[in-house]
Amino acid sequence: MKLQPVFIIEELEQLKTISDPLRAKVLLYLIEKAYTGQQLAKMLGMARAKVHYHLNELEKHSLISVVRTELKNGILQKFYRAVARGFVPSEKLLPYVSEVENYYRERTLSVLGRARRRAINAPEEAFQIPSSDRTQWPIIMTQVEVKMSKEKYAEWLRKFRALIFELDASQEENGEWFYLTTVGFQTNEPSFDPVVEEEER
């Protein structure tokens, strides 16, 4: 099954369904690959019945689908997969500020949680550096706070997304696998103290 690049959420009930913290986490797994309810329950450390309830809700609202079935020990196992790599509320849902906010907050938290698990399970070589020259490193860890207009920030994000699409489009058959995740959002105040340059004498 080929995932759609983006699924436009048209119904408020779909948005509410996808804004649930557990469903947001489940959906993130199902964007990556197909899993059964039992597999997801094991990974999440939850009761299978609870996970199946949430899978049914996601499927009912056309956010995931069964991509294959397997018969194991006389039991038919369903493998679920997300219908798209990304989910975006349509323009008509934007007035439902609370639901849209909940969706993106939970999605951000799920992405960060998944990135943490990926880092824990990464091979040792992922964190080895070839030299002190940072331009040669196959790893990036950065935090930055910037102060600018929303318009200027949005313009920079457009350029950054274009670089991500370029990266995704230039994959090589015999290359190594790399994982990249990014989050960015408005904050109330900075967390970092400003760097004060010493006065020149």
Side-chain angles (χ1 to χ4, degrees):
M1 171 188 164
K2 187 172 174 60
L3 274 65
Q4 302 173 42
V6 176
F7 179 92
I8 305 300
I9 303 168
E10 298 287 353
E11 305 298 328
L12 181 57
E13 284 306 310
Q14 287 178 315
L15 184 59
K16 287 180 177 178
T17 298
I18 211 171
S19 299
D20 176 87
L22 178 57
R23 288 176 204 148
K25 193 178 291 187
V26 166
L27 195 62
L28 199 61
Y29 277 108
L30 297 179
I31 287 171
E32 292 180 4
K33 60 176 71 173
Y35 289 106
T36 65
Q38 184 174 358
Q39 290 171 327
L40 288 166
K42 187 174 181 181
M43 287 187 293
L44 296 166
M46 300 184 69
R48 194 168 22 173
K50 186 171 184 178
V51 171
H52 275 290
Y53 167 76
H54 290 292
L55 286 171
N56 288 337
E57 288 296 303
L58 289 166
E59 186 180 22
K60 181 171 78 175
H61 293 287
S62 304
L63 302 166
I64 65 172
S65 64
V66 176
V67 292
R68 74 176 192 274
T69 58
E70 288 180 10
L71 197 62
K72 187 174 180 183
N73 300 327
I75 299 171
L76 188 67
Q77 295 188 319
K78 296 179 180 179
F79 286 79
Y80 297 89
R81 188 83 196 265
V83 297
R85 292 175 68 179
F87 296 81
V88 178
S90 68
E91 291 284 332
K92 71 178 184 180
L93 292 179
L94 296 184
Y96 296 97
V97 176
S98 175
E99 284 80 5
V100 172
E101 176 197 329
N102 288 343
Y103 165 65
Y104 280 111
R105 189 182 302 274
E106 289 306 325
R107 175 109 170 106
T108 299
L109 290 170
S110 293
V111 167
L112 289 170
R114 191 72 183 119
R116 181 179 183 275
R117 287 187 292 277
R118 294 290 295 267
I120 289 170
N121 294 321
E124 289 180 9
E125 66 183 286
F127 302 104
Q128 295 168 357
I129 56 172
S131 72
S132 59
D133 179 2
R134 293 180 69 177
T135 64
Q136 302 300 312
W137 292 6
I139 183 174
I140 181 169
M141 297 167 288
T142 186
Q143 293 184 77
V144 63
E145 292 176 333
V146 294
K147 190 173 185 181
M148 61 181 59
S149 69
K150 289 182 180 179
E151 294 76 19
K152 186 173 180 182
Y153 180 65
E155 178 57 33
W156 184 88
L157 284 181
R158 278 191 285 277
K159 295 175 187 174
F160 182 72
R161 286 189 187 101
L163 280 174
I164 296 295
F165 292 140
E166 178 187 324
L167 178 69
D168 191 32
S170 59
Q171 296 193 43
E172 298 173 347
E173 184 75 28
N174 298 317
E176 302 291 336
W177 283 108
F178 294 91
Y179 173 74
L180 181 68
T181 188
T182 310
V183 297
F185 44 84
Q186 183 177 337
T187 59
N188 292 324
E189 57 187 25
S191 294
F192 305 150
D193 284 338
V195 176
V196 180
E197 302 286 344
E198 284 190 28
E199 289 185 17
E200 292 186 18
R201 296 176 185 265

